[in-house]
Amino acid sequence: MLPFRKHFLRVAGPLVIALTLLLLTACGAYDAPQTTLDPKGSSSRIILDLYKVIGVMAAIVFVVVEGLLVYSVVRFRRRPDDGIPLQIHGNQPIEIVWTIIPLAVLIVAFGATVIAIHDINTPGKGTIMNVTVVGHQWWWEFQYPVQPGISRPISTANEIHIPAGQNVHFHITSHDVIHSFWIPQVQRQVDANPGEDNAVYTKVDQPGTYDGMCYEYCGDAHAWMKARMIVQSPAQFYAWTRAQEQSATSPSSALALQGQKVFSSNTCINCHTLSYTGSHASGIVGPNLTHLASRWTIGAGAAPMDKQDLAAWIRNPSDYKPGTLMPDYPALSKKDLSALVAYLINLK
Ligand code: CUA
């Protein structure tokens, strides 16, 4: 071996290992890693099990084939006075054996895949909760129709709540272009196509918070189309749905009351819904704001939900999320902006 290559390998090998370990540690630092290797939902568990079956089969094939290859290269390497080696072309038993073995491997892989596809597309037994997931440029809408335990339709954005231990049927669709909904630890990835109702079934056993994002390039702010799934105990979940079924909290101060007026007299109402008696805000282009402050983030993960960020977001959303369809509001006076924020930040 050349000295340079020797030296290079001695440095590069450990460097690659160190970088890989560093990346893995960095991945582990997130609250909710977007990984398929630690499944929490029934549907992603089925996929990981399939990967394991096929991974083990592939590993066995690799070891056997490479082992035989290396053995043959060493054992039967050409020696100085060797002639032409034994020719096996047309040897029927060998042809049959090396056709049957790969065929058997592929039949097992195919069978396991068909079973996994079937299991993933079979709703769990017992009651099923229905949630419609609508992709928008560039945020997620989650609608809960009236069903056992939910007495008024709920519409929320970017944070989907489900009860632990409950079979859930997500109806995936889109308002505009093709998006793709995936919470890797919980369910399989599925495209959100306009006019279609793509089914995803899953059941998560333990409460927890799981993150995901849009997985289909859908335009300017595709990278800021995050989703968070909050799996709660049934008691916590139904406390959440009861709160979400309510109209917006009434303004609790003069400033907040002023904020409500600012909201209803500006173009906010063209795009957003905010329900309270007498509200004219019923837009569906942007997220429903009735319980805005119950969410953790603004703009599908673009900013944390707090007063400063909310004010800066309303003034200039494209600072946080280039390409967002929400226009900037340079004309809003400082006073009106702070009143608006005082109102919105209390809409739990
Ligand atoms: Cu929506 Cu990418």
Side-chain angles (χ1 to χ4, degrees):
M1 198 186 281
L2 294 168
F4 170 74
R5 257 177 86 189
K6 228 174 178 173
H7 187 68
F8 177 75
L9 285 178
R10 202 172 285 163
V11 176
L15 201 69
V16 167
I17 293 171
L19 276 175
T20 311
L21 285 175
L22 193 72
L23 275 174
L24 287 174
T25 334
C27 293
Y30 287 104
D31 285 338
Q34 292 178 40
T35 175
T36 52
L37 300 177
D38 183 19
K40 302 294 182 187
S42 54
S43 132
S44 41
R45 206 168 288 130
I46 292 168
I47 296 172
L48 183 63
D49 288 346
L50 176 64
Y51 269 116
K52 282 181 188 162
V53 169
I54 291 179
V56 166
M57 282 170 42
I60 293 171
V61 168
F62 178 81
V63 168
V64 170
V65 170
E66 294 303 309
L68 286 174
L69 185 68
V70 170
Y71 172 79
S72 304
V73 165
V74 175
R75 175 77 179 73
F76 303 111
R77 68 186 182 278
R78 188 163 186 192
R79 293 183 172 82
D81 34 325
D82 278 353
I84 301 274
L86 177 66
Q87 298 300 297
I88 55 158
H89 178 77
N91 185 318
Q92 222 174 32
I94 293 180
E95 297 275 356
I96 290 173
V97 167
W98 68 36
T99 303
I100 283 183
I101 294 177
L103 191 66
V105 169
L106 289 180
I107 286 174
V108 173
F110 178 74
T113 305
V114 169
I115 292 171
I117 291 173
H118 170 267
D119 290 351
I120 277 177
N121 288 309
T122 307
K125 292 195 175 68
T127 56
I128 293 181
M129 200 182 81
N130 290 285
V131 185
T132 301
V133 176
V134 189
H136 291 257
Q137 281 178 319
W138 287 275
W139 57 284
W140 293 103
E141 180 181 8
F142 301 117
Q143 301 169 346
Y144 299 71
V146 172
Q147 54 194 307
I150 299 177
S151 54
R152 278 179 67 184
I154 293 169
S155 164
T156 187
N158 307 318
E159 287 167 27
I160 182 170
H161 291 239
I162 61 167
Q166 165 79 55
N167 287 308
V168 185
H169 176 172
F170 298 118
H171 301 258
I172 318 278
T173 187
S174 167
H175 181 74
D176 36 50
V177 299
I178 300 175
H179 305 269
S180 181
F181 183 65
W182 195 26
I183 309 287
Q185 285 188 279
V186 174
Q187 34 81 223
R188 74 187 174 101
Q189 184 184 123
V190 71
D191 276 1
N193 300 324
E196 285 187 30
D197 176 357
N198 291 338
V200 170
Y201 305 102
T202 200
K203 182 172 105 175
V204 185
D205 294 321
Q206 296 299 324
T209 301
Y210 308 106
D211 287 340
M213 46 178 61
C214 181
Y215 283 87
E216 178 82 39
Y217 180 69
C218 53
D220 288 2
H222 157 73
W224 285 116
M225 193 167 163
K226 298 186 175 188
R228 172 164 283 178
M229 184 175 289
I230 298 121
V231 182
Q232 296 170 298
S233 69
Q236 284 175 326
F237 173 75
Y238 287 107
W240 177 82
T241 58
R242 274 195 301 279
Q244 296 285 317
E245 286 169 15
Q246 306 300 316
S247 299
T249 330
S250 302
S252 56
S253 65
L255 188 65
L257 185 64
Q258 174 61 23
Q260 191 184 53
K261 283 182 190 141
V262 171
F263 185 88
S264 55
S265 58
N266 272 282
T267 49
C268 315
I269 58 172
N270 294 345
C271 296
H272 295 285
T273 291
L274 209 166
S275 54
Y276 57 90
T277 313
S279 167
H280 297 296
S282 55
I284 54 160
V285 177
N288 187 315
L289 302 182
T290 307
H291 301 281
L292 170 71
S294 71
R295 307 200 275 260
W296 295 0
T297 70
I298 307 165
M305 181 66 70
D306 57 49
K307 271 186 173 177
Q308 293 74 21
D309 286 288
L310 189 54
W313 167 269
I314 294 168
R315 175 73 79 205
N316 202 351
S318 53
D319 263 3
Y320 288 92
K321 189 166 170 169
T324 178
L325 299 183
M326 177 161 161
D328 296 348
Y329 281 90
L332 208 60
S333 74
K334 237 178 166 174
K335 220 176 108 202
D336 281 356
L337 181 62
S338 63
L340 186 55
V341 169
Y343 173 55
L344 294 175
I345 205 72
N346 282 319
L347 299 178
K348 299 274 182 190

